[in-house]
Amino acid sequence: MQKPNQSAQFQNHALFCIGTGRMGLALQKEYQEQLRLVQQEIGFSHIRGHGLFCDDMAIYQCRKDENGAEHTEYNFTYLDRVMDSYQENGLRPFLELGFMPKKMARGAQTIFYWQGNTTPPADYDKWAALIRATIMHLIGRYGREEVAAWPVEVWNEPNLPGFWENADQQEYLRLYDVSARAVKDVLPEMRVGGPAVCGGGSCMPWIRAFLEHCRDTGAPLDFVTRHIYMGQQPSHEGRYLYQEMCDPAYSIHEAEETRELIDSFPEFRGMELHITEFNTSYNPFCPTHDTVYNAALIAGMLARLGDTCASYSYWTFGDVFEEQGVPARPFHGGFGLVANGLIKKPTYWTFRFFKDMQGELLHRDENCVAVRAKDGSLRVIAWNTKAEEKECDLSLPAEDGEWTAVFRTVDENHANPLKLWHDLGEPASLTAEQLSLLRAAAVPGTESRILTAEKNTLNLHLSIGKCAVRAVCLTKRTTETERGYRYPGIGLPDKEDKQ
Amino acid sequence: MQKPNQSAQFQNHALFCIGTGRMGLALQKEYQEQLRLVQQEIGFSHIRGHGLFCDDMAIYQCRKDENGAEHTEYNFTYLDRVMDSYQENGLRPFLELGFMPKKMARGAQTIFYWQGNTTPPADYDKWAALIRATIMHLIGRYGREEVAAWPVEVWNEPNLPGFWENADQQEYLRLYDVSARAVKDVLPEMRVGGPAVCGGGSCMPWIRAFLEHCRDTGAPLDFVTRHIYMGQQPSHEGRYLYQEMCDPAYSIHEAEETRELIDSFPEFRGMELHITEFNTSYNPFCPTHDTVYNAALIAGMLARLGDTCASYSYWTFGDVFEEQGVPARPFHGGFGLVANGLIKKPTYWTFRFFKDMQGELLHRDENCVAVRAKDGSLRVIAWNTKAEEKECDLSLPAEDGEWTAVFRTVDENHANPLKLWHDLGEPASLTAEQLSLLRAAAVPGTESRILTAEKNTLNLHLSIGKCAVRAVCLTKRTTETERGYRYPGIGLPDKEDKQ
Amino acid sequence: MQKPNQSAQFQNHALFCIGTGRMGLALQKEYQEQLRLVQQEIGFSHIRGHGLFCDDMAIYQCRKDENGAEHTEYNFTYLDRVMDSYQENGLRPFLELGFMPKKMARGAQTIFYWQGNTTPPADYDKWAALIRATIMHLIGRYGREEVAAWPVEVWNEPNLPGFWENADQQEYLRLYDVSARAVKDVLPEMRVGGPAVCGGGSCMPWIRAFLEHCRDTGAPLDFVTRHIYMGQQPSHEGRYLYQEMCDPAYSIHEAEETRELIDSFPEFRGMELHITEFNTSYNPFCPTHDTVYNAALIAGMLARLGDTCASYSYWTFGDVFEEQGVPARPFHGGFGLVANGLIKKPTYWTFRFFKDMQGELLHRDENCVAVRAKDGSLRVIAWNTKAEEKECDLSLPAEDGEWTAVFRTVDENHANPLKLWHDLGEPASLTAEQLSLLRAAAVPGTESRILTAEKNTLNLHLSIGKCAVRAVCLTKRTTETERGYRYPGIGLPDKEDKQ
Amino acid sequence: MQKPNQSAQFQNHALFCIGTGRMGLALQKEYQEQLRLVQQEIGFSHIRGHGLFCDDMAIYQCRKDENGAEHTEYNFTYLDRVMDSYQENGLRPFLELGFMPKKMARGAQTIFYWQGNTTPPADYDKWAALIRATIMHLIGRYGREEVAAWPVEVWNEPNLPGFWENADQQEYLRLYDVSARAVKDVLPEMRVGGPAVCGGGSCMPWIRAFLEHCRDTGAPLDFVTRHIYMGQQPSHEGRYLYQEMCDPAYSIHEAEETRELIDSFPEFRGMELHITEFNTSYNPFCPTHDTVYNAALIAGMLARLGDTCASYSYWTFGDVFEEQGVPARPFHGGFGLVANGLIKKPTYWTFRFFKDMQGELLHRDENCVAVRAKDGSLRVIAWNTKAEEKECDLSLPAEDGEWTAVFRTVDENHANPLKLWHDLGEPASLTAEQLSLLRAAAVPGTESRILTAEKNTLNLHLSIGKCAVRAVCLTKRTTETERGYRYPGIGLPDKEDKQ
């Protein structure tokens, strides 16, 4: 066992931000129900996704009158509805500026089933005006102080030609400059960042070029953003994609390298790094997302990413998502923590468990992390990304006496509705009874045990099944037994039966 | 294995009626929340409890004016509130006429912490007038047709001196006659019954005397009622009571004997028998009630009681209950299916499982019952009231091919919040986190398996842990796999890891 | 005063059906909230709108695999979600088959901001297959009996070239035949109708041709459908349309003529006529819709249309509606009974008042209708579509004695949030306080009076303000005053003040 | 018109505290629903009522075991439930220590239908132990910081022999000392006060004696409390009480005198004075409570009491109240802002209107108060406690230009469900339709007008009907009219009709 790094706080920013399908989908009821479910039990602080300026949000309006004169108007009906819903759910947007309104776009290239235009503005002044008007409106509705706390990111994955025409770096830097300045013109306290690149070969050179640009031109920059996905070589079958996942250590290393790159710029040393998207696969029809294996991989990520990153936004909270079309099955490998029908997937629980991991770091290795919370309880999460069972032995500092250990388990037979759905025949439409059973199957196993600490040490032995995640909550046990109540023997049949 | 009795319907009246603490408690919010929980998932048809005419319901009002003249008024404010709440929950009352309003009572004897007066009316005319006025009012509010469907029982356990002064049989028969006639005077279609006796030595003689009385005097009688409790010799400690429970077979035999007694009267042959209370212990501080053992015993009862009884009302749905005072702990051995704090107890699931047992009886023995439902699914419940694990093998008639089996398990480690509460130190007041964990622990284990029927037979093997209850739902499996989706191997790490 | 037509029932089908924006919008939360509001208080039986087969519902899927082979799949994810929501709201769909999925369309013509394709199928067999698959799926989910009660209409307004390419009548008749037969192939009990034409010059010839076609070819036909709008010559300004409205008598006459046309066919005599859309203006940016004048005009329609029509579906329940783009103001002249922000418009109350108009018709003239309900209460609605106040005197048959009259008034100062919104400056985004005030202003005035009937007659005098609607509920008054309670003088200051 | 006192803040503490029926009633569902209604729209900060230690709360438990040994236990099951509900509603308790648990009481005297024991403790040590245990428990559940913010008052109206045996002042001072010290022993930051006397002859001498005692003995004292009721000579009829009310000026003077008395003690100068109960009548069957006259009287009180008092707790928020028995009619003169059935009474609106009166005091006279809120809006409340209509003319400082005035009116025909209920025949049980009408009638009239300020002055003319209350909200009007939208003429019939 490794020696605990005793006095440090566990850097846990797992709940800072969560991803979402395009903003227009936030108008949907199922989206809102999935979001409420996630917020009630997990409670992220921010939410980030595409589509703020896409046409289904209907913000940018340009009409000609009888005389042919052009009138630009901004319509914030839907934006208000979405932002109100976020506020009601305790969320602030992590605003992503994009994509391009059709009537403002230079070109016709689009991405996704929902056809987000991915070309530069035909007129950068109109783009800047749109940004300014939007932020002005938000200030009017939510107040300057509130809006100032919303981070702003410029565009999405411009290093991919699908997301930004020709992956044109110079054009992106221009977009960045105009956008960042438009934001600061209206609300200087608002924090702006980029370049929102996805991983892969061009990622690090792009970040480097972006930082050099900001350093050299003095473009406003408050934080750096990038994405991390763990999927390796893909194969396709029908609308599905299959791929192996790299080890969490590999992805964590990507974050560290980015951290080092930023810190290598004296001007940007220590600047916040936000992973504005991460997940195992980057494809919304990758069946791995629905599995307990996914839950274990993400646990490995959450255990370490906070060391280098200010946030890491899991892509996405729910399965109301249409990038590759409308899913035809409740389980289809979508990104969501929650499947359509409000069924919690295994990875939901990884986040739920990490919610409680606030406090002093007592122990951490490649399969386990342990903290002592403010209230004195000890919290442990262990995971296993391999196909064989693992054993884990921990010695935790603890006051002598009895402790209650509550174990919550996500594995093949617990919190694994995918298996039940498969056993039911992979139905496309769920009956009420099937839905009810799937929800019932989507909860961790819960067990308890009384442990005893001696010599200020609590020894905890944990078996972790293949691809499983387990959480343990340990609290000092004090008994409040009422006079006359004796638990032992309650619920056992009478003696004759026992003999 | 026993040969299934193939063509008969399973006589399952488990959901006809449920017991409740005194009616005045129905004003409470926690009571209503527990009731709603039970009704949403189980859905009983009727509800029966004490206290309709007790003073906290404030129906009978008698005031003197300035001149000393007495004014009788009826105040239905609280009655409306309670009856409205029952209707909102899909429930009809199984009205129990009692106890005596203090201002109408002949004597001062009371029962329970909440002091229900258990003496005859000082003036039987006033009692009859109260009954008539109450039913008239109910007709005005809920309609004649609706109220006519509410069964009426006269008093509670008059064969016990605590419940009816001196257990005076002649006085009870007078009360019965007056009450039954008052009901019929207002609404002849309303169905009236008695004598609501509890088990024990005087039970059968009382029923016999009651039937003779009705036969001889022509007193209105629509059904016969009695209670069945399984508790044997008790011992006390503090406010708690401990007792061994008889075998379900013994209690079922009590019902059969009563059935035979009724049928021995030619005039009453086939008349409905309602067990208006049943449970293991008759004491609201008997820890057994909270256990999985209780769930198994009740399963044994529900499997057979319908053969002889039109209903059997589990005493009670929830733990808002004050007969022996206000409970000081969430788990204290109360009667409820639900513990205070909205925590489902093991026996809750016995009823939930039996809800689905509608259809053709395929098999029944002392540990198991199996039916074929209208929709073609097969439903099995198995239970074990002993301290050793049991095995159960069933061969069910089934179309050849794949079947999905979903197993739901209540045992020491599943749906057993009592154990967790004990491990937590038996806290009197629950923190939010404790409450959340207890609710999470209060659900059955859910597992699924694909089985294959051959030669029109599905073989099912079940292990049943000590004091456990298991339910199995079997449905014919047809696959709707989407093109390109392949379940096997999803969620397993890549090959290098596996080797 | 006219003599009441005493023994007839008032033919009131106002609640049979309600219109809705395109089906894809039913996924939205605000849509669902507006619908729930309407259903809770009004409670329509059916709902009809466009877009069942539009691409945002994503039902029709056609993908090529690696080898170029085409795979047709149907995706009912969104359809289930919408239909489930209707069922939860107590609604059945009045299914409109249309518009054309892009991948199935012969041409590229579209209508509306949301681009519904309005061309015939490239392959009628695929269209028929789509219909059959959809109905098969609905049967599987909701049951044969339930789905058989859903009326089906073929396409929308094919007599307009915008809605059906070239308004090609022969092509429509082909579409009708194929569609109706596809429906009947799967579920012969399902009722099918057409031709769903809008009013104007081509309306009656189209209906005649359609009926002749059905008569001559034996095409299945269960009912006839058309639309009625009251708007006259329009003028435009910005995105708004202004127009005068015809008198209700004119529109009612249109319905009567259609009735006569149908009845002139011996084969179709008495066949149901459904007005599957009606309203004042046919434009969703016509400010009249939001006014009390609109409420009065619709009252005039609801008072008479039931004489000739089996239903008349107000277009539409709410303002989540995008045909001419996304509204930028809460009040913009949309069709809805409810404005965005859940603000009830005046016409909402017209329907709410007509909900209670069930029973024997006591009186009807051009400004007033009166019925006696089953429970003995008298219900009156009076309206005024003119710019001057009107007086209305009614003598209603009534038992002698006191009656309670409750008056509910919709006029310039009551239930008229539009005026308040204008006075507030016509804000685009509402603050919480503004929204709260607007909802508070969106309720009728409620007043009561005690009237006395003599000689079996109750004389009722009503003033009806300009463009106002008033409803009166009259119930026989019996007093239940408690001893000692005296109302007169309560709430008046002491005598010194009064003198 | 008086000259405005321009620079001062309006001292408005109307929402600091609200009264409630005995704590045990807080377990009821209807109580909680009324409370939630009040809190959602008004939102008081604290709640105060009797009965913390009454037997229905079941806190103090004393049982003998088999050997006759006495065991004292504290049962906080119900206390937790009540306090949790307060916290959920955003309320802190203003704890009143009382009445006496029967098993701890020296005597048998009780008060009210629910029999609160009003005698001193048989053993002051047990009383102190009870207080300490209760506060210890609350700290454990809600945290030290939270509980420290809960004010504590010792007993209720000890200057009345009904509430405190013999109105024994010396005994009260002893009770006060023991109680206050018990509180401070556990949580010194908790604030304690008394003597909670009711008005009338003995009130001021009691307060003087109490202050002298505290000064002389050094007993802990953080604030002074008393009650104010406006009812004069009563007359009785049945269970009802009728009485004239004094002018608000008289009651306000009572508060001022108390203020002066406190300030006359150098040690207590400026110490907070809390009116822990006030209302018009002190009787829960005084019909005045339900009237608009009551609303006007209370407006007069809220306009001035904040000048001298830190709080004034209206007695009570709702009509779940049993001091004189269970009400038999929804309107019976109960104290509540809300009648049973969740019907808002006129006085509800007085508090709702005063909620918005935060800001700079612009004007105040005997019928009117006006403030400028932080957001720049002007808020006016005017009331009339006389039987003749009044006129009120105000000149308010305001920026030149258009202002939107929104008027909300409570008078005989608005927000006056009592009148409708009377017209309906004073029904004891409400049908669903009656309840719906009563709720619809229980809202203020809402009207708007556009006013114009000139020379920095806005002239406002208000007619105030007899016994009416009116609130006006004035906001600067800026128009956001969309291009093409013209309000004038919308909703008027076409020209032919108009001529």
Side-chain angles (χ1 to χ4, degrees), chain B residues 14 79 84 131 153 220 238 254 284 341 362 377 467 494:
Chain B
L79 185 64
D84 284 1
I131 292 171
E153 186 183 34
E254 287 188 297
L362 298 179
S377 65
C467 303
D494 49 80

Side-chain angles (χ1 to χ4, degrees), chain A residues 130-149:
Chain A
L130 170 63
I131 293 171
R132 284 194 305 265
T134 301
I135 295 175
M136 286 291 289
H137 172 77
L138 293 172
I139 290 171
R141 187 161 185 83
Y142 303 103
R144 175 171 284 265
E145 197 179 355
E146 171 63 21
V147 175

Side-chain angles (χ1 to χ4, degrees), chain C residues 464-483:
Chain C
I464 322 167
K466 64 171 176 173
C467 303
V469 181
R470 301 193 73 186
V472 193
C473 171
L474 296 144
T475 48
K476 194 77 177 63
R477 184 171 188 261
T478 53
T479 55
E480 302 180 34
T481 303
E482 196 174 20
R483 187 168 57 89

Side-chain angles (χ1 to χ4, degrees), chain D residues 143-162:
Chain D
R144 175 169 285 265
E145 198 180 353
E146 170 63 21
V147 175
W150 302 1
V152 181
E153 187 182 34
V154 178
W155 212 256
N156 180 69
E157 302 191 354
N159 62 326
L160 295 187

Side-chain angles (χ1 to χ4, degrees), chain C residues 166-295:
Chain C
N166 306 318
D168 182 335
Q169 193 175 83
Q170 285 315 305
E171 193 75 42
Y172 175 74
L173 294 174
R174 185 178 174 198
L175 181 82
Y176 181 81
D177 291 355
V178 170
S179 305
R181 292 225 160 82
V183 170
K184 299 281 186 181
D185 281 353
V186 178
L187 189 52
E189 310 93 293
M190 232 175 162
R191 301 172 70 243
V192 185
V197 285
C198 85
S202 64
C203 174
M204 295 296 281
W206 261 73
I207 295 175
R208 178 179 302 278
F210 174 74
L211 291 172
E212 287 167 353
H213 168 80
C214 290
R215 178 195 63 195
D216 297 345
T217 65
L221 179 68
D222 297 298
F223 54 82
V224 178
T225 68
R226 65 160 291 180
H227 300 168
I228 293 180
Y229 285 95
M230 303 169 80
Q232 305 300 304
Q233 201 54 37
S235 68
H236 291 85
E237 202 170 330
R239 75 196 303 185
Y240 293 95
L241 177 144
Y242 300 85
Q243 60 187 164
E244 293 184 1
M245 301 303 155
C246 69
D247 194 87
Y250 180 84
S251 291
I252 288 156
H253 183 64
E254 287 189 296
E256 288 164 351
E257 281 183 324
T258 313
R259 174 79 268 153
E260 284 160 17
L261 174 58
I262 299 167
D263 290 345
S264 72
F265 286 74
E267 301 80 0
F268 303 132
R269 184 171 196 78
M271 176 172 271
E272 284 181 3
L273 167 60
H274 289 272
I275 309 299
T276 48
E277 290 182 21
F278 87 106
N279 203 324
T280 53
S281 173
Y282 46 75
N283 185 289
F285 285 95
C286 174
T288 302
H289 287 131
D290 301 339
T291 66
V292 291
Y293 175 44
N294 200 78

